Amino acid sequence: MTPTRFFLIRHAIVEPSARLVLYGDMDVSICALALAQDSAAYRWLAQRLPAGARWFHTPLSRTRATAEAIFAAGYAAPVMSVEPRFAEQHLGQWQGITHEALTELLNDPPHPFWPHGALERPPGGESLQDVIDRVGPTLEELAEALEGQDVVIVAHGGSIRAALAHALRLDPHQAFQLSVKNLSLTRLEKHGADWRIASVNEEAPAAA
């Protein structure tokens, strides 16, 4: 049986002003300066990704802009589809506040590698478990609908972390221990009923 292969790319780094706050699923722009500086990463992705794949991005502009930069770097531009269920974690009333202000609002101790606890749900928003609960079924649905095909999804740190949690059956605390870097490539494969992790955080080789 030919596996269904998923190529998950985290979008490019966002504008410095956005990084000062918790932006969650706010529609913030990628950094224009980094776009030029990361040209080698886009060329590497253009060469690394399989030709003829089905492409998806989320409703947030930073994922479409990242995909378009990969096409500009040499990948033959396909027809893209929007997959809203791979959007970033919605942080509700926390969105737009500073990291310092968040410490006054937490009910649970923060995760060692994240500004809030793995199970905490922001007022009006999602917990990481909520993200896992929407991303996991989406992966299964796409794996069935596109069986044996290559699927590229330009997404977010939170949704890629959730995809890994689903495939590895991790709880939210364990999922927050996964680092997902900007412009990194994570590869998952669906073999029948089973998931295989082919790679996490693949990056363009460092310049000599």
Side-chain angles (χ1 to χ4, degrees):
M1 179 181 294
T2 302
T4 307
R5 302 193 302 171
F6 289 85
F7 298 77
L8 308 179
I9 302 163
R10 186 183 177 192
H11 63 79
I13 195 167
V14 300
E15 288 285 1
S17 59
R19 284 176 261 153
L20 297 176
V21 300
L22 295 159
Y23 55 86
D25 68 350
M26 295 167 58
D27 197 10
V28 298
S29 300
I30 62 174
C31 178
L33 178 60
L35 183 62
Q37 294 175 336
D38 292 334
S39 57
Y42 292 114
R43 289 195 300 272
W44 172 76
L45 283 167
Q47 296 168 4
R48 180 72 183 83
L49 296 169
R54 292 286 301 273
W55 277 70
F56 296 85
H57 63 89
T58 77
L60 301 178
S61 62
R62 56 188 181 269
T63 59
R64 183 175 183 89
T66 299
E68 290 172 345
I70 296 170
F71 305 153
Y75 190 97
V79 174
M80 289 195 292
S81 300
V82 177
E83 179 44 77
R85 292 170 293 179
F86 256 86
E88 184 57 284
Q89 181 178 357
H90 178 48
L91 297 179
Q93 294 179 21
W94 292 353
Q95 294 197 159
I97 69 171
T98 65
H99 296 267
E100 293 76 15
L102 176 65
T103 60
E104 303 297 324
L105 304 175
L106 297 179
N107 295 310
D108 301 325
H111 189 278
F113 303 114
W114 208 248
H116 56 81
L119 298 178
E120 186 147 12
R121 180 182 289 115
E126 296 177 297
S127 67
L128 180 56
Q129 184 63 59
D130 293 328
V131 182
I132 296 170
D133 290 344
R134 65 170 158 83
V135 168
T138 306
L139 273 176
E140 297 291 347
E141 179 185 308
L142 290 172
E144 181 177 356
L146 303 174
E147 183 177 351
Q149 298 185 46
D150 291 329
V151 183
V152 177
I153 305 176
V154 187
H156 307 268
S159 50
I160 295 172
R161 198 174 286 112
L164 286 165
H166 173 77
L168 291 169
R169 300 178 183 176
L170 302 179
D171 63 41
H173 183 89
Q174 293 168 319
F176 265 152
Q177 293 174 273
L178 297 168
S179 171
V180 180
K181 299 179 181 179
N182 293 101
L183 294 180
S184 67
L185 173 64
T186 292
R187 296 184 291 124
L188 311 181
E189 298 175 355
K190 185 70 183 293
H191 296 254
D194 300 310
W195 285 97
R196 178 173 182 262
I197 310 302
S199 70
V200 179
N201 268 335
E202 282 189 53
E203 294 183 277

